[in-house]
Amino acid sequence: MSGDHAEESADRIIDPVGQTAEDVAVLVRGVPGVQRLHGGLFGEVATYLPGRRVSGIRIAADRVEVHVVLDANVPIRMTAERIHALVHAATRLPVHVVVEDIAA
């Protein structure tokens, strides 16, 4: 019985980096004008987690990188600043926003 309980507890362990990466991805996708997150030229921009990855978000101990594709009809700088402010407020880490592409 105690073995089953230990497995249940292990399943409930929260992965703070993974949860943070997923939360940041949801925040960024909700910014008006964000078409999608971008994984970089070779898909290297991601938070790698056991069995999954969050593409377009790279979380390190000292910073967060966010790579996005924006709609062509939004102000690029203002949208990047909005992303920066939201992610910084959520993580309290320095944030680097990269606009990888503009969607037509």
Side-chain angles (χ1 to χ4, degrees):
M1 189 78 168
S2 64
D4 292 338
H5 182 58
E7 287 178 26
E8 284 179 23
S9 296
D11 289 342
R12 290 188 214 161
I13 293 173
I14 295 175
D15 175 3
V17 172
Q19 188 60 49
T20 300
E22 290 167 349
D23 291 344
V24 167
V26 168
L27 274 175
V28 172
R29 284 189 205 109
V31 173
V34 172
Q35 181 90 180
R36 62 183 172 86
L37 293 167
H38 192 287
L41 185 59
F42 300 106
E44 74 282 4
V45 179
T47 300
Y48 294 91
L49 304 164
R52 69 190 197 286
R53 59 189 231 150
V54 180
S55 196
I57 306 291
R58 182 181 292 157
I59 297 184
D62 61 342
R63 64 182 155 61
V64 178
E65 288 181 40
V66 178
H67 294 243
V68 293
V69 175
L70 299 181
D71 291 330
N73 60 349
V74 298
I76 295 168
R77 181 177 294 263
M78 186 183 307
T79 305
E81 288 172 355
R82 182 178 282 175
I83 293 166
H84 180 277
L86 284 171
V87 174
H88 177 69
T91 64
R92 295 292 179 212
L93 290 171
V95 178
H96 185 72
V97 178
V98 177
V99 178
E100 292 277 359
D101 202 359
I102 305 297

